Amino acid sequence: MSNKVTVVGSLNVDTTLRIKRMPLPGETLAAADKTSAAGGKGANQAVAAARSGAQTAFVGQVGKDNGGEMMIKGLQDNGIDTTGIRENDQVGTGSAAILLDSDGQNSILVYGGANQQLSVDDVTAAQQQIAAADFVIAQFETPQAATLKAFQIAKANGVKTILNPAPAHEIDPALLKLTDLIIPNETESASLTGIIITDETSMLMSAAKFAQMGVRNLIITVGAKGAFYCTQDGYNFVPAFKVNAVDTTAAGDTFIGALSSQLKPDMSNIEKALVYAQRASSLAVQKMGALPSIPTHEAIIAASRQ
């Protein structure tokens, strides 16, 4: 049986500008290429889950505009249930401008738009999709009040919650107490715990700090190095697969979505699911774009056999 995953989150139209290097303050550079594609942390995570075989539903908000139509169609094309997405005729669909240099590193500017209007009422209206899931995933490109409501519905129905605290900012302590698994990168982890990630000791200290805040299961992603996990059953650092990255956009989102498709709700197979997620992420960074780069289950399995 495949996992059922509901994502509460952001929907952005991504515009990517390819440049040789990042501009200096006051400097004008020519872009070699410009592309537009569906993206946003929420959409990326949902598509990654769906392409890895999870039955996926989405709760979010778009503008009543071309961008909104594009986002909904993009999700539907991946078999995602979009009945939990509301169209807002007052605010435009979220968007992101991505500067991508020749080394595959990016800088991203995000306009929240309709994402920032996602309300407690929107989430309540989608409680059926939340209650039916094995996992509910949320990030911080939509208001925390909406996420808190989603996690409250999840916990009332025995659904496991995954929080990706990105972009990092202060978290409502009540939200952390409702979080079963938190997945920050090393920068986000440091900003939330005050502990800089340097080695295994600092990672274990971070896990202890998150446990104090109420989150007992942790994965810290450390870019091209790999990922650390800590649950009540144990901990380990799992190295990443070595690849030549051309575009790191959506790498972390692919990891989270793919993980949610494979992880058992009791977290008993976390290392196996994490290796699968890292394989998915390693394939995503070898292609351009956010949604277009996210691999299917078949591609991930094929890469695992090589």
mmCIF file of all heavy atoms in Angstrom, residues 241-289:
data_model
loop_
_atom_site.group_PDB
_atom_site.id
_atom_site.type_symbol
_atom_site.label_atom_id
_atom_site.label_comp_id
_atom_site.label_asym_id
_atom_site.label_seq_id
_atom_site.Cartn_x
_atom_site.Cartn_y
_atom_site.Cartn_z
ATOM 1 N N PHE A 241 24.869 10.990 -2.161
ATOM 2 C CA PHE A 241 25.454 10.433 -3.378
ATOM 3 C C PHE A 241 26.210 11.537 -4.102
ATOM 4 O O PHE A 241 25.738 12.675 -4.183
ATOM 5 C CB PHE A 241 24.354 9.857 -4.279
ATOM 6 C CG PHE A 241 23.625 8.709 -3.652
ATOM 7 C CD1 PHE A 241 22.398 8.901 -3.032
ATOM 8 C CD2 PHE A 241 24.169 7.434 -3.656
ATOM 9 C CE1 PHE A 241 21.727 7.848 -2.429
ATOM 10 C CE2 PHE A 241 23.507 6.368 -3.055
ATOM 11 C CZ PHE A 241 22.282 6.576 -2.442
ATOM 12 N N LYS A 242 27.389 11.213 -4.616
ATOM 13 C CA LYS A 242 28.218 12.216 -5.296
ATOM 14 C C LYS A 242 27.770 12.386 -6.749
ATOM 15 O O LYS A 242 27.800 11.436 -7.526
ATOM 16 C CB LYS A 242 29.685 11.782 -5.282
ATOM 17 C CG LYS A 242 30.280 11.737 -3.868
ATOM 18 C CD LYS A 242 30.701 13.118 -3.399
ATOM 19 C CE LYS A 242 31.257 13.115 -1.985
ATOM 20 N NZ LYS A 242 30.244 13.124 -0.942
ATOM 21 N N VAL A 243 27.322 13.589 -7.087
ATOM 22 C CA VAL A 243 26.892 13.885 -8.459
ATOM 23 C C VAL A 243 27.362 15.283 -8.848
ATOM 24 O O VAL A 243 27.761 16.061 -7.990
ATOM 25 C CB VAL A 243 25.339 13.817 -8.602
ATOM 26 C CG1 VAL A 243 24.828 12.406 -8.369
ATOM 27 C CG2 VAL A 243 24.649 14.803 -7.664
ATOM 28 N N ASN A 244 27.286 15.595 -10.145
ATOM 29 C CA ASN A 244 27.578 16.951 -10.612
ATOM 30 C C ASN A 244 26.278 17.746 -10.663
ATOM 31 O O ASN A 244 25.446 17.520 -11.537
ATOM 32 C CB ASN A 244 28.235 16.917 -11.996
ATOM 33 C CG ASN A 244 29.639 16.340 -11.934
ATOM 34 O OD1 ASN A 244 30.382 16.609 -10.997
ATOM 35 N ND2 ASN A 244 29.991 15.539 -12.918
ATOM 36 N N ALA A 245 26.106 18.674 -9.722
ATOM 37 C CA ALA A 245 24.868 19.451 -9.648
ATOM 38 C C ALA A 245 24.864 20.551 -10.697
ATOM 39 O O ALA A 245 25.856 21.255 -10.876
ATOM 40 C CB ALA A 245 24.725 20.057 -8.266
ATOM 41 N N VAL A 246 23.725 20.683 -11.402
ATOM 42 C CA VAL A 246 23.563 21.797 -12.343
ATOM 43 C C VAL A 246 22.550 22.812 -11.816
ATOM 44 O O VAL A 246 22.573 23.976 -12.188
ATOM 45 C CB VAL A 246 23.139 21.320 -13.757
ATOM 46 C CG1 VAL A 246 24.225 20.472 -14.386
ATOM 47 C CG2 VAL A 246 21.815 20.579 -13.729
ATOM 48 N N ASP A 247 21.655 22.373 -10.919
ATOM 49 C CA ASP A 247 20.638 23.267 -10.366
ATOM 50 C C ASP A 247 20.121 22.666 -9.060
ATOM 51 O O ASP A 247 19.466 21.629 -9.059
ATOM 52 C CB ASP A 247 19.485 23.440 -11.370
ATOM 53 C CG ASP A 247 18.421 24.421 -10.874
ATOM 54 O OD1 ASP A 247 18.599 25.009 -9.791
ATOM 55 O OD2 ASP A 247 17.413 24.589 -11.582
ATOM 56 N N THR A 248 20.434 23.332 -7.937
ATOM 57 C CA THR A 248 20.045 22.795 -6.622
ATOM 58 C C THR A 248 18.630 23.188 -6.197
ATOM 59 O O THR A 248 18.170 22.800 -5.130
ATOM 60 C CB THR A 248 21.045 23.257 -5.539
ATOM 61 O OG1 THR A 248 21.142 24.687 -5.577
ATOM 62 C CG2 THR A 248 22.420 22.656 -5.767
ATOM 63 N N THR A 249 17.918 23.957 -7.052
ATOM 64 C CA THR A 249 16.532 24.321 -6.747
ATOM 65 C C THR A 249 15.708 23.054 -6.526
ATOM 66 O O THR A 249 15.777 22.117 -7.306
ATOM 67 C CB THR A 249 15.900 25.126 -7.909
ATOM 68 O OG1 THR A 249 16.792 26.176 -8.273
ATOM 69 C CG2 THR A 249 14.569 25.730 -7.501
ATOM 70 N N ALA A 250 14.932 23.029 -5.453
ATOM 71 C CA ALA A 250 14.019 21.917 -5.132
ATOM 72 C C ALA A 250 14.711 20.653 -4.638
ATOM 73 O O ALA A 250 14.055 19.637 -4.427
ATOM 74 C CB ALA A 250 13.103 21.568 -6.306
ATOM 75 N N ALA A 251 16.023 20.704 -4.410
ATOM 76 C CA ALA A 251 16.727 19.508 -3.918
ATOM 77 C C ALA A 251 16.180 19.070 -2.562
ATOM 78 O O ALA A 251 15.863 17.900 -2.345
ATOM 79 C CB ALA A 251 18.224 19.780 -3.820
ATOM 80 N N GLY A 252 16.066 20.033 -1.641
ATOM 81 C CA GLY A 252 15.548 19.720 -0.310
ATOM 82 C C GLY A 252 14.085 19.301 -0.338
ATOM 83 O O GLY A 252 13.665 18.405 0.401
ATOM 84 N N ASP A 253 13.312 19.941 -1.205
ATOM 85 C CA ASP A 253 11.876 19.600 -1.315
ATOM 86 C C ASP A 253 11.688 18.201 -1.889
ATOM 87 O O ASP A 253 10.816 17.447 -1.456
ATOM 88 C CB ASP A 253 11.161 20.618 -2.212
ATOM 89 C CG ASP A 253 11.212 22.023 -1.638
ATOM 90 O OD1 ASP A 253 11.259 22.155 -0.405
ATOM 91 O OD2 ASP A 253 11.206 22.983 -2.419
ATOM 92 N N THR A 254 12.514 17.859 -2.875
ATOM 93 C CA THR A 254 12.462 16.509 -3.459
ATOM 94 C C THR A 254 12.765 15.472 -2.385
ATOM 95 O O THR A 254 12.096 14.440 -2.287
ATOM 96 C CB THR A 254 13.464 16.391 -4.619
ATOM 97 O OG1 THR A 254 13.110 17.334 -5.637
ATOM 98 C CG2 THR A 254 13.464 14.991 -5.217
ATOM 99 N N PHE A 255 13.767 15.772 -1.573
ATOM 100 C CA PHE A 255 14.157 14.884 -0.474
ATOM 101 C C PHE A 255 12.951 14.631 0.450
ATOM 102 O O PHE A 255 12.632 13.481 0.771
ATOM 103 C CB PHE A 255 15.306 15.534 0.308
ATOM 104 C CG PHE A 255 15.741 14.769 1.531
ATOM 105 C CD1 PHE A 255 16.759 13.830 1.456
ATOM 106 C CD2 PHE A 255 15.136 14.992 2.763
ATOM 107 C CE1 PHE A 255 17.163 13.119 2.589
ATOM 108 C CE2 PHE A 255 15.525 14.293 3.895
ATOM 109 C CZ PHE A 255 16.541 13.349 3.805
ATOM 110 N N ILE A 256 12.275 15.690 0.858
ATOM 111 C CA ILE A 256 11.175 15.563 1.824
ATOM 112 C C ILE A 256 9.986 14.826 1.221
ATOM 113 O O ILE A 256 9.400 13.932 1.844
ATOM 114 C CB ILE A 256 10.773 16.960 2.347
ATOM 115 C CG1 ILE A 256 11.892 17.503 3.241
ATOM 116 C CG2 ILE A 256 9.446 16.913 3.111
ATOM 117 C CD1 ILE A 256 11.798 18.977 3.537
ATOM 118 N N GLY A 257 9.617 15.191 -0.008
ATOM 119 C CA GLY A 257 8.484 14.531 -0.660
ATOM 120 C C GLY A 257 8.735 13.055 -0.890
ATOM 121 O O GLY A 257 7.882 12.199 -0.611
ATOM 122 N N ALA A 258 9.947 12.730 -1.387
ATOM 123 C CA ALA A 258 10.298 11.331 -1.638
ATOM 124 C C ALA A 258 10.330 10.541 -0.331
ATOM 125 O O ALA A 258 9.848 9.406 -0.256
ATOM 126 C CB ALA A 258 11.651 11.256 -2.346
ATOM 127 N N LEU A 259 10.885 11.148 0.713
ATOM 128 C CA LEU A 259 10.937 10.498 2.024
ATOM 129 C C LEU A 259 9.532 10.134 2.508
ATOM 130 O O LEU A 259 9.284 9.017 2.968
ATOM 131 C CB LEU A 259 11.614 11.428 3.038
ATOM 132 C CG LEU A 259 11.735 10.863 4.452
ATOM 133 C CD1 LEU A 259 13.084 10.171 4.633
ATOM 134 C CD2 LEU A 259 11.577 11.956 5.506
ATOM 135 N N SER A 260 8.602 11.082 2.388
ATOM 136 C CA SER A 260 7.238 10.864 2.889
ATOM 137 C C SER A 260 6.519 9.736 2.160
ATOM 138 O O SER A 260 5.611 9.109 2.706
ATOM 139 C CB SER A 260 6.416 12.151 2.780
ATOM 140 O OG SER A 260 6.081 12.426 1.422
ATOM 141 N N SER A 261 6.942 9.461 0.928
ATOM 142 C CA SER A 261 6.304 8.391 0.150
ATOM 143 C C SER A 261 6.719 7.005 0.642
ATOM 144 O O SER A 261 6.008 6.023 0.435
ATOM 145 C CB SER A 261 6.651 8.534 -1.336
ATOM 146 O OG SER A 261 7.985 8.093 -1.585
ATOM 147 N N GLN A 262 7.889 6.921 1.275
ATOM 148 C CA GLN A 262 8.465 5.632 1.669
ATOM 149 C C GLN A 262 8.450 5.371 3.172
ATOM 150 O O GLN A 262 8.501 4.224 3.614
ATOM 151 C CB GLN A 262 9.930 5.552 1.190
ATOM 152 C CG GLN A 262 10.130 5.806 -0.293
ATOM 153 C CD GLN A 262 9.409 4.810 -1.169
ATOM 154 O OE1 GLN A 262 9.572 3.596 -1.022
ATOM 155 N NE2 GLN A 262 8.584 5.308 -2.084
ATOM 156 N N LEU A 263 8.419 6.441 3.963
ATOM 157 C CA LEU A 263 8.553 6.317 5.421
ATOM 158 C C LEU A 263 7.332 5.651 6.044
ATOM 159 O O LEU A 263 6.192 5.968 5.708
ATOM 160 C CB LEU A 263 8.736 7.725 6.016
ATOM 161 C CG LEU A 263 9.087 7.839 7.493
ATOM 162 C CD1 LEU A 263 10.423 7.181 7.803
ATOM 163 C CD2 LEU A 263 9.100 9.309 7.910
ATOM 164 N N LYS A 264 7.574 4.719 6.957
ATOM 165 C CA LYS A 264 6.459 4.127 7.705
ATOM 166 C C LYS A 264 6.049 5.107 8.806
ATOM 167 O O LYS A 264 6.914 5.769 9.390
ATOM 168 C CB LYS A 264 6.885 2.786 8.310
ATOM 169 C CG LYS A 264 7.104 1.691 7.271
ATOM 170 C CD LYS A 264 7.544 0.399 7.915
ATOM 171 C CE LYS A 264 7.767 -0.677 6.839
ATOM 172 N NZ LYS A 264 8.353 -1.910 7.414
ATOM 173 N N PRO A 265 4.753 5.197 9.105
ATOM 174 C CA PRO A 265 4.316 6.159 10.128
ATOM 175 C C PRO A 265 4.989 5.981 11.493
ATOM 176 O O PRO A 265 5.116 6.940 12.244
ATOM 177 C CB PRO A 265 2.808 5.913 10.207
ATOM 178 C CG PRO A 265 2.445 5.469 8.823
ATOM 179 C CD PRO A 265 3.598 4.620 8.371
ATOM 180 N N ASP A 266 5.472 4.756 11.789
ATOM 181 C CA ASP A 266 6.173 4.571 13.072
ATOM 182 C C ASP A 266 7.672 4.883 12.961
ATOM 183 O O ASP A 266 8.422 4.697 13.923
ATOM 184 C CB ASP A 266 5.968 3.142 13.603
ATOM 185 C CG ASP A 266 6.604 2.069 12.710
ATOM 186 O OD1 ASP A 266 7.213 2.421 11.667
ATOM 187 O OD2 ASP A 266 6.477 0.882 13.050
ATOM 188 N N MET A 267 8.109 5.375 11.802
ATOM 189 C CA MET A 267 9.500 5.788 11.534
ATOM 190 C C MET A 267 10.492 4.622 11.609
ATOM 191 O O MET A 267 11.710 4.841 11.631
ATOM 192 C CB MET A 267 9.974 6.899 12.499
ATOM 193 C CG MET A 267 8.968 7.988 12.739
ATOM 194 S SD MET A 267 9.224 9.444 11.735
ATOM 195 C CE MET A 267 7.755 10.385 12.153
ATOM 196 N N SER A 268 10.030 3.393 11.649
ATOM 197 C CA SER A 268 10.918 2.242 11.864
ATOM 198 C C SER A 268 11.894 2.021 10.704
ATOM 199 O O SER A 268 12.945 1.407 10.891
ATOM 200 C CB SER A 268 10.100 0.971 12.102
ATOM 201 O OG SER A 268 9.275 0.687 10.982
ATOM 202 N N ASN A 269 11.562 2.521 9.511
ATOM 203 C CA ASN A 269 12.445 2.336 8.343
ATOM 204 C C ASN A 269 13.096 3.647 7.919
ATOM 205 O O ASN A 269 13.372 3.865 6.744
ATOM 206 C CB ASN A 269 11.656 1.746 7.165
ATOM 207 C CG ASN A 269 10.637 2.738 6.611
ATOM 208 O OD1 ASN A 269 10.164 3.628 7.334
ATOM 209 N ND2 ASN A 269 10.278 2.596 5.351
ATOM 210 N N ILE A 270 13.343 4.534 8.890
ATOM 211 C CA ILE A 270 13.774 5.898 8.543
ATOM 212 C C ILE A 270 15.075 5.921 7.729
ATOM 213 O O ILE A 270 15.200 6.695 6.787
ATOM 214 C CB ILE A 270 13.879 6.802 9.804
ATOM 215 C CG1 ILE A 270 14.068 8.285 9.378
ATOM 216 C CG2 ILE A 270 14.971 6.352 10.748
ATOM 217 C CD1 ILE A 270 13.778 9.282 10.468
ATOM 218 N N GLU A 271 16.038 5.045 8.062
ATOM 219 C CA GLU A 271 17.308 5.092 7.316
ATOM 220 C C GLU A 271 17.111 4.650 5.867
ATOM 221 O O GLU A 271 17.633 5.276 4.939
ATOM 222 C CB GLU A 271 18.391 4.244 7.995
ATOM 223 C CG GLU A 271 19.732 4.410 7.311
ATOM 224 C CD GLU A 271 20.924 4.041 8.181
ATOM 225 O OE1 GLU A 271 20.878 4.235 9.411
ATOM 226 O OE2 GLU A 271 21.914 3.569 7.612
ATOM 227 N N LYS A 272 16.332 3.603 5.669
ATOM 228 C CA LYS A 272 16.062 3.131 4.304
ATOM 229 C C LYS A 272 15.319 4.208 3.496
ATOM 230 O O LYS A 272 15.653 4.479 2.333
ATOM 231 C CB LYS A 272 15.226 1.847 4.369
ATOM 232 C CG LYS A 272 15.070 1.150 3.026
ATOM 233 C CD LYS A 272 14.280 -0.138 3.166
ATOM 234 C CE LYS A 272 14.063 -0.771 1.786
ATOM 235 N NZ LYS A 272 13.172 -1.936 1.853
ATOM 236 N N ALA A 273 14.329 4.839 4.113
ATOM 237 C CA ALA A 273 13.567 5.903 3.444
ATOM 238 C C ALA A 273 14.460 7.106 3.155
ATOM 239 O O ALA A 273 14.333 7.757 2.109
ATOM 240 C CB ALA A 273 12.377 6.324 4.310
ATOM 241 N N LEU A 274 15.381 7.377 4.070
ATOM 242 C CA LEU A 274 16.292 8.516 3.912
ATOM 243 C C LEU A 274 17.250 8.288 2.737
ATOM 244 O O LEU A 274 17.498 9.208 1.949
ATOM 245 C CB LEU A 274 17.056 8.702 5.223
ATOM 246 C CG LEU A 274 17.815 10.010 5.445
ATOM 247 C CD1 LEU A 274 17.934 10.283 6.939
ATOM 248 C CD2 LEU A 274 19.190 9.954 4.841
ATOM 249 N N VAL A 275 17.763 7.070 2.605
ATOM 250 C CA VAL A 275 18.652 6.745 1.465
ATOM 251 C C VAL A 275 17.889 6.913 0.144
ATOM 252 O O VAL A 275 18.410 7.476 -0.825
ATOM 253 C CB VAL A 275 19.220 5.314 1.600
ATOM 254 C CG1 VAL A 275 19.952 4.897 0.328
ATOM 255 C CG2 VAL A 275 20.159 5.233 2.804
ATOM 256 N N TYR A 276 16.648 6.439 0.111
ATOM 257 C CA TYR A 276 15.792 6.601 -1.084
ATOM 258 C C TYR A 276 15.623 8.091 -1.401
ATOM 259 O O TYR A 276 15.751 8.519 -2.555
ATOM 260 C CB TYR A 276 14.433 5.943 -0.823
ATOM 261 C CG TYR A 276 13.420 6.128 -1.935
ATOM 262 C CD1 TYR A 276 13.294 5.182 -2.959
ATOM 263 C CD2 TYR A 276 12.578 7.238 -1.967
ATOM 264 C CE1 TYR A 276 12.368 5.351 -3.976
ATOM 265 C CE2 TYR A 276 11.650 7.409 -2.986
ATOM 266 C CZ TYR A 276 11.548 6.464 -3.988
ATOM 267 O OH TYR A 276 10.628 6.638 -4.996
ATOM 268 N N ALA A 277 15.357 8.892 -0.354
ATOM 269 C CA ALA A 277 15.144 10.339 -0.531
ATOM 270 C C ALA A 277 16.405 11.025 -1.041
ATOM 271 O O ALA A 277 16.343 11.927 -1.882
ATOM 272 C CB ALA A 277 14.691 10.958 0.788
ATOM 273 N N GLN A 278 17.561 10.580 -0.542
ATOM 274 C CA GLN A 278 18.819 11.170 -1.017
ATOM 275 C C GLN A 278 19.078 10.819 -2.482
ATOM 276 O O GLN A 278 19.604 11.634 -3.233
ATOM 277 C CB GLN A 278 19.984 10.683 -0.149
ATOM 278 C CG GLN A 278 20.021 11.366 1.195
ATOM 279 C CD GLN A 278 21.284 11.060 1.965
ATOM 280 O OE1 GLN A 278 21.821 9.975 1.890
ATOM 281 N NE2 GLN A 278 21.736 12.026 2.718
ATOM 282 N N ARG A 279 18.721 9.612 -2.866
ATOM 283 C CA ARG A 279 18.862 9.220 -4.273
ATOM 284 C C ARG A 279 17.974 10.124 -5.144
ATOM 285 O O ARG A 279 18.398 10.599 -6.194
ATOM 286 C CB ARG A 279 18.475 7.748 -4.450
ATOM 287 C CG ARG A 279 18.608 7.243 -5.870
ATOM 288 C CD ARG A 279 20.034 7.154 -6.353
ATOM 289 N NE ARG A 279 20.748 5.999 -5.801
ATOM 290 C CZ ARG A 279 22.039 5.770 -6.018
ATOM 291 N NH1 ARG A 279 22.744 6.608 -6.776
ATOM 292 N NH2 ARG A 279 22.634 4.721 -5.492
ATOM 293 N N ALA A 280 16.742 10.355 -4.695
ATOM 294 C CA ALA A 280 15.816 11.227 -5.433
ATOM 295 C C ALA A 280 16.393 12.634 -5.572
ATOM 296 O O ALA A 280 16.391 13.226 -6.657
ATOM 297 C CB ALA A 280 14.473 11.281 -4.710
ATOM 298 N N SER A 281 16.912 13.155 -4.468
ATOM 299 C CA SER A 281 17.488 14.502 -4.460
ATOM 300 C C SER A 281 18.704 14.587 -5.383
ATOM 301 O O SER A 281 18.884 15.575 -6.102
ATOM 302 C CB SER A 281 17.878 14.856 -3.022
ATOM 303 O OG SER A 281 18.234 16.196 -2.922
ATOM 304 N N SER A 282 19.528 13.522 -5.403
ATOM 305 C CA SER A 282 20.733 13.522 -6.248
ATOM 306 C C SER A 282 20.371 13.549 -7.730
ATOM 307 O O SER A 282 21.104 14.101 -8.545
ATOM 308 C CB SER A 282 21.607 12.299 -5.939
ATOM 309 O OG SER A 282 21.060 11.116 -6.494
ATOM 310 N N LEU A 283 19.220 12.946 -8.078
ATOM 311 C CA LEU A 283 18.758 13.001 -9.470
ATOM 312 C C LEU A 283 18.203 14.388 -9.804
ATOM 313 O O LEU A 283 18.423 14.910 -10.890
ATOM 314 C CB LEU A 283 17.676 11.938 -9.707
ATOM 315 C CG LEU A 283 18.153 10.479 -9.672
ATOM 316 C CD1 LEU A 283 16.973 9.531 -9.750
ATOM 317 C CD2 LEU A 283 19.131 10.190 -10.811
ATOM 318 N N ALA A 284 17.493 14.998 -8.843
ATOM 319 C CA ALA A 284 16.877 16.313 -9.086
ATOM 320 C C ALA A 284 17.916 17.390 -9.388
ATOM 321 O O ALA A 284 17.695 18.234 -10.258
ATOM 322 C CB ALA A 284 16.027 16.721 -7.885
ATOM 323 N N VAL A 285 19.055 17.362 -8.680
ATOM 324 C CA VAL A 285 20.043 18.436 -8.867
ATOM 325 C C VAL A 285 20.804 18.317 -10.188
ATOM 326 O O VAL A 285 21.522 19.232 -10.582
ATOM 327 C CB VAL A 285 21.061 18.507 -7.700
ATOM 328 C CG1 VAL A 285 20.363 18.789 -6.396
ATOM 329 C CG2 VAL A 285 21.916 17.248 -7.612
ATOM 330 N N GLN A 286 20.628 17.193 -10.883
ATOM 331 C CA GLN A 286 21.302 17.016 -12.174
ATOM 332 C C GLN A 286 20.469 17.527 -13.349
ATOM 333 O O GLN A 286 20.891 17.430 -14.497
ATOM 334 C CB GLN A 286 21.647 15.533 -12.388
ATOM 335 C CG GLN A 286 22.672 15.006 -11.393
ATOM 336 C CD GLN A 286 22.958 13.524 -11.578
ATOM 337 O OE1 GLN A 286 23.567 13.124 -12.557
ATOM 338 N NE2 GLN A 286 22.479 12.708 -10.648
ATOM 339 N N LYS A 287 19.279 18.081 -13.028
ATOM 340 C CA LYS A 287 18.403 18.640 -14.076
ATOM 341 C C LYS A 287 18.012 20.068 -13.723
ATOM 342 O O LYS A 287 17.994 20.448 -12.553
ATOM 343 C CB LYS A 287 17.129 17.790 -14.197
ATOM 344 C CG LYS A 287 17.304 16.506 -14.978
ATOM 345 C CD LYS A 287 15.942 15.859 -15.130
ATOM 346 C CE LYS A 287 15.953 14.667 -16.068
ATOM 347 N NZ LYS A 287 14.602 14.085 -16.148
ATOM 348 N N MET A 288 17.612 20.820 -14.741
ATOM 349 C CA MET A 288 17.191 22.204 -14.540
ATOM 350 C C MET A 288 15.764 22.287 -14.025
ATOM 351 O O MET A 288 14.937 21.436 -14.324
ATOM 352 C CB MET A 288 17.274 22.971 -15.868
ATOM 353 C CG MET A 288 18.693 23.275 -16.322
ATOM 354 S SD MET A 288 19.496 24.429 -15.206
ATOM 355 C CE MET A 288 18.385 25.831 -15.327
ATOM 356 N N GLY A 289 15.493 23.363 -13.251
ATOM 357 C CA GLY A 289 14.124 23.664 -12.839
ATOM 358 C C GLY A 289 13.729 22.975 -11.548
ATOM 359 O O GLY A 289 14.427 22.102 -11.044
#
